[in-house]
């Protein structure tokens, strides 16, 4: 069964039916293709309609020419002065999607990000 399509999905996103609140549950919508509600919109408790299609982020503004020339040798703005005078490490650079800011990131892409150790006491037992 195609859970992403239903009778109510016709005309999505401009003129489709209200969102189906069962489509994202474990068993999915029982009515499947026969459901009169839209399977593409996200259901909300307050009844407002939210389109489930992700919104693409606009591309970051281009960097000035002199900054681009400086960044030829560095992986990001925050990496300038690495390893002694750079900014803190970027948490997102090593992720699969990478850092959304790219070379314009204000954090260092050459350092390895680790979770802050000040959250944990020296004894190794977490406080509640």
């Amino acid at each position: 069964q195609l859970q992403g399509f239903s009778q109510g999905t016709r005309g999505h996103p401009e003129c489709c039916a209200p969102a189906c609140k069962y489509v994202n549950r474990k068993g999915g919508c029982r009515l499947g293709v026969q459901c009169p509600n839209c399977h593409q919109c996200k259901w909300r408790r307050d009844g407002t309609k939210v389109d489930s299609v992700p919104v693409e982020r606009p591309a970051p503004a281009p960097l000035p020419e002199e900054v681009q020339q400086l960044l030829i040798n560095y992986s990001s703005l925050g990496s300038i002065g690495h390893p002694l005078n750079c900014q803190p490490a970027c948490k997102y650079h090593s992720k699969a999607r990478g850092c959304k800011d790219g070379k314009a990131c204000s954090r260092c892409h050459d350092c390895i990000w680790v979770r802050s150790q000040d959250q944990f006491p020296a004894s190794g037992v977490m406080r509640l």
Side-chain angles (χ1 to χ4, degrees), residues 23-106:
V23 71
N24 289 327
R25 293 201 179 169
K26 185 177 177 183
C29 179
R30 287 190 289 175
L31 301 175
V33 178
Q34 300 298 321
C35 183
N37 297 319
C38 182
H39 284 185
Q40 295 292 315
C41 294
K42 289 187 179 179
W43 180 81
R44 292 179 61 170
R45 233 178 250 285
D46 60 6
T48 58
K49 192 167 152 179
V50 178
D51 191 10
S52 65
V53 179
V55 177
E56 292 187 27
R57 282 186 252 147
L63 296 172
E65 185 65 34
E66 57 272 3
V67 175
Q68 288 181 3
Q69 291 298 321
L70 181 64
L71 284 175
I72 289 175
N73 298 328
Y74 296 101
S75 57
S76 69
L77 282 174
S79 300
I80 296 173
H82 178 80
L84 302 175
N85 296 323
C86 60
Q87 297 298 313
C90 179
K91 178 179 181 177
Y92 303 101
H93 177 67
S94 61
K95 305 281 184 182
R97 292 183 69 188
C99 177
K100 68 179 179 76
D101 296 326
K103 286 196 170 242
C105 183
S106 62

